[in-house]
Amino acid sequence: MTIDNKINRLKALHTSMSEAERIAAQHARGKLTAHERIALLLDPNTFHEIGMSDSTQTNNTSNERNSSDAVITGSGEINGRAVFVFSQDFTVIGGTISETEGQKIGHVLDLALEQGMPIIGIYDSGGARIQEGVAALSGVGEILLRNARCSGAIPQIAVVVGPSAGGAAYSPSLCDFVFTVKNITQMYITGPGVVKSVTNEVVSHQELGGAEAHSHKSGVAHFLYDNEQECFRQVKRLLSFIPQNCTFKPPAVKIDDSPERCDETLSTIVPDDPRKPYDMKNIITAIVDNGDFMEVQSQFAGNIICGLARLAGNSVGIVAQQPSILAGTIDINASVKASRFVRFCDAFNIPLVSLVDVPGFMPGTEQEHNGIIRHGAKLIYAYAEATVPKLAVITRKAYGGAYIAMSSHHLMGDLSYAWQGSVIAVMGAEAAVNIIFHKMIAESPSPEEMCRKLVAEYRTHFDNPSQASKLGYIDDIIDPRQTRSILIKALETLRNKHQNLPQKKHGNIPL
């Protein structure tokens, strides 16, 4: 069947079905309609539609037009905060993007940027409208241009609750956060049919670009939920942590969790054996207000943890190693994940708290050949460039270049702390001794005994935070139980921090 015949069949099906039938078909797919999604997201009776009468012809040979084309755009409120929103309508020609739809979405993005308000895009579209030809591509381009222009100026949140195909899939990926729903989300540049024709690979829509594929494998998705209702509830939760735009600070909230609270479990949470894992998330929830932590990309690069929380009612971004996964080493995926999150927090005035337990960057030919140097440099660049308050707490160890990368004083970190018993060094004692004293150990009558002696001496002199503290690289060695109160006081100290970067058009981050 030719493309023209397929288009004509789709058009005939669309015109033969009533609106009620198209809505029923949408529900049968387990999906809400564009209007239902807006109602679920916004406060009641706050939605103001923009561009209601904008429409386009369904193809270039017909006079048939569709009211509002295949997208609903407007403004409203979420928990009393003004936002702009667009919701693609799959019941109208599969939500495909026409020239008009691109202009409508572009217009609402322009308004959001001009008004300094967050934009939430709800994606449910088959991509560019083929029957419009290059005019449809211009519509996609209008959206992508504005996504790039809005980046770092206003928060952009993408909710992908249907297909987002072809070049249009780049729009959600240009946003700050991508929300997905199991068995509904589909994102790919080329669909299964094209993949089969080009590579002879047989793959389903969900295997190729479903929510779980992008949450676990590609890292495109930041959040994954079982249904749309929970997804939209979590969009509202995310919004509560972030400001209206780059000139505002995040909203502060009243909390009933004492800033002076100490947590006794923190004194024993790190095992005595430095090789034993523990769950860093337990430290995070023990420190932040009421244990409320919204993790970002929880299914991707689990060896590093990123997310949003509050300390004394004020939003903070948390970046932390996860010793229970890959010993907390920083690999390519962890570098990319953390660096993008750090840059988001910096763009929107969210202070950064880094909890450090890192043995180093991941070694091996696979990592080296795939660019761990280039990707690891992203994390260094992100921290060095960030001008928000930056706090670091070393909970167990910080070795080598990874110590530098994780918000150290050397990258303009503001305040750095180390837990009692933690270690800061170029590398672990055993590895250091084997390099420095290799010849002495080999020539010793008892190499094993000599090695143990030298390791003990190295640990006494170097494998602890004392040297870093004496040199001013660590501001204090603290009791783990007092971490929360110390961080809150530090953030208060840095409340009015203002730092200017060298004048330039923009830096050249190693992408």
Side-chain angles (χ1 to χ4, degrees):
M1 183 182 291
T2 67
I3 289 178
D4 286 341
N5 286 337
K6 288 182 180 179
I7 290 169
N8 289 333
R9 281 191 59 187
L10 284 170
K11 179 186 171 226
L13 179 64
H14 176 266
T15 56
S16 66
M17 293 176 68
S18 68
E19 183 179 4
E21 288 173 320
R22 295 197 298 271
I23 291 172
Q26 179 81 342
H27 288 165
R29 299 184 188 98
K31 297 161 61 178
L32 300 175
T33 66
H35 284 95
E36 289 169 339
R37 287 162 174 164
I38 289 174
L40 195 61
L41 177 66
L42 300 180
D43 298 344
N45 303 315
T46 64
F47 180 59
H48 172 66
E49 188 167 355
I50 299 169
M52 183 186 298
S53 61
D54 292 351
S55 61
T56 190
Q57 292 180 188
T58 56
N59 66 31
N60 56 11
T61 62
S62 170
N63 290 323
E64 181 189 352
R65 302 182 77 85
N66 290 282
S67 177
S68 297
D69 201 69
V71 68
I72 301 165
T73 57
S75 62
E77 295 181 1
I78 295 177
N79 296 324
R81 288 179 58 185
V83 299
F84 280 93
V85 63
F86 65 84
S87 183
Q88 292 177 322
D89 190 346
F90 194 80
T91 70
V92 177
I93 322 175
T96 51
I97 301 172
S98 64
E99 181 182 19
T100 300
E101 176 169 334
Q103 291 170 349
K104 284 184 67 175
I105 295 175
H107 180 53
V108 81
L109 280 161
D110 285 340
L111 290 173
L113 184 59
E114 291 166 5
Q115 299 297 316
M117 290 160 52
I119 180 83
I120 300 165
I122 303 172
Y123 294 81
D124 189 2
S125 167
R129 192 169 299 169
I130 301 172
Q131 57 267 49
E132 277 200 11
V134 72
L137 296 180
S138 78
V140 175
E142 294 288 334
I143 299 169
L144 301 181
L145 169 65
R146 285 157 176 88
N147 286 140
R149 291 187 66 194
C150 291
S151 181
I154 57 171
Q156 297 183 85
I157 299 172
V159 186
V160 185
V161 278
S164 185
Y170 287 115
S171 179
S173 69
L174 285 168
C175 294
D176 297 302
F177 296 104
V178 178
F179 285 75
T180 61
V181 177
K182 291 179 182 177
N183 303 317
I184 291 178
T185 299
Q186 297 172 28
M187 296 176 69
Y188 36 65
I189 302 305
T190 53
V194 176
V195 170
K196 185 176 188 301
S197 67
V198 174
T199 69
N200 206 33
E201 181 183 6
V202 177
V203 63
S204 71
H205 289 279
Q206 287 298 315
E207 290 171 334
L208 179 64
E212 292 183 270
H214 285 307
S215 296
H216 291 86
K217 296 178 180 179
S218 73
V220 171
H222 297 85
F223 300 100
L224 171 66
Y225 298 105
D226 291 329
N227 55 68
E228 291 194 45
Q229 288 78 5
E230 178 62 14
C231 179
F232 284 106
R233 189 178 77 82
Q234 293 298 328
V235 170
K236 297 179 185 183
R237 181 186 176 203
L238 173 68
L239 197 63
S240 74
F241 287 103
I242 61 181
Q244 286 292 88
N245 58 60
C246 65
T247 67
F248 282 52
K249 288 187 176 182
V253 301
K254 292 183 179 180
I255 53 108
D256 56 2
D257 192 350
S258 171
E260 299 296 328
R261 172 174 59 80
C262 292
D263 194 308
E264 294 295 328
T265 64
L266 295 179
S267 62
T268 57
I269 199 166
V270 175
D272 293 333
D273 185 341
R275 291 166 294 187
K276 279 193 174 181
Y278 63 94
D279 191 347
M280 182 66 83
K281 292 180 187 177
N282 291 333
I283 293 179
I284 295 170
T285 55
I287 291 171
V288 302
D289 292 352
N290 298 314
D292 182 19
F293 176 59
M294 187 171 191
E295 188 173 359
V296 175
Q297 290 183 294
S298 61
Q299 290 88 17
F300 179 72
N303 43 321
I304 203 159
I305 302 166
C306 299
L308 295 161
R310 293 185 181 88
L311 286 169
N314 297 300
S315 293
V316 293
I318 305 284
V319 180
Q321 269 72 47
Q322 176 54 288
S324 64
I325 299 177
L326 299 178
T329 52
I330 303 174
D331 63 358
I332 289 171
N333 286 342
S335 298
V336 174
K337 170 182 171 179
S339 58
R340 193 165 192 272
F341 180 74
V342 167
R343 285 169 67 83
F344 169 81
C345 290
D346 185 52
F348 293 104
N349 307 309
I350 300 172
L352 288 159
V353 175
S354 302
L355 301 175
V356 185
D357 186 352
V358 61
F361 284 92
M362 178 71 80
T365 55
E366 181 181 359
Q367 289 288 307
E368 293 290 356
H369 294 172
N370 283 292
I372 184 63
I373 296 173
R374 173 166 50 90
H375 293 292
K378 295 176 184 177
L379 184 59
I380 295 168
Y381 190 106
Y383 270 119
E385 182 187 47
T387 60
V388 293
K390 293 180 286 189
L391 308 179
V393 179
I394 298 169
T395 61
R396 180 161 66 177
K397 61 182 174 296
Y399 287 146
Y403 150 70
I404 298 171
M406 287 299 297
S407 196
S408 68
H409 270 317
H410 320 293
L411 297 184
M412 298 297 288
D414 294 296
L415 293 169
S416 296
Y417 304 98
W419 277 8
Q420 296 165 352
S422 61
V423 172
I424 304 167
V426 175
M427 60 183 66
E430 290 84 355
V433 164
N434 283 324
I435 292 173
I436 299 170
F437 302 107
H438 173 73
K439 185 176 181 180
M440 182 186 297
I441 292 170
E443 294 174 351
S444 171
S446 178
E448 289 185 4
E449 183 178 343
M450 174 61 72
C451 184
R452 283 195 297 269
K453 177 185 175 185
L454 292 171
V455 165
E457 290 177 356
Y458 185 92
R459 284 177 174 160
T460 300
H461 291 95
F462 298 105
D463 222 1
N464 56 66
S466 298
Q467 186 186 35
S469 180
K470 290 174 183 177
L471 293 171
Y473 305 149
I474 294 295
D475 294 289
D476 198 3
I477 300 171
I478 65 172
D479 184 331
R481 295 170 295 183
Q482 297 176 342
T483 304
R484 170 178 165 81
S485 62
I486 288 170
L487 289 175
I488 288 172
K489 290 171 184 173
L491 287 172
E492 179 62 23
T493 299
L494 299 169
R495 181 163 52 99
N496 296 317
K497 178 185 177 182
H498 180 76
Q499 179 183 347
N500 290 322
L501 295 174
Q503 185 176 355
K504 53 189 171 181
K505 186 174 182 180
H506 59 70
N508 189 17
I509 186 170
L511 298 172

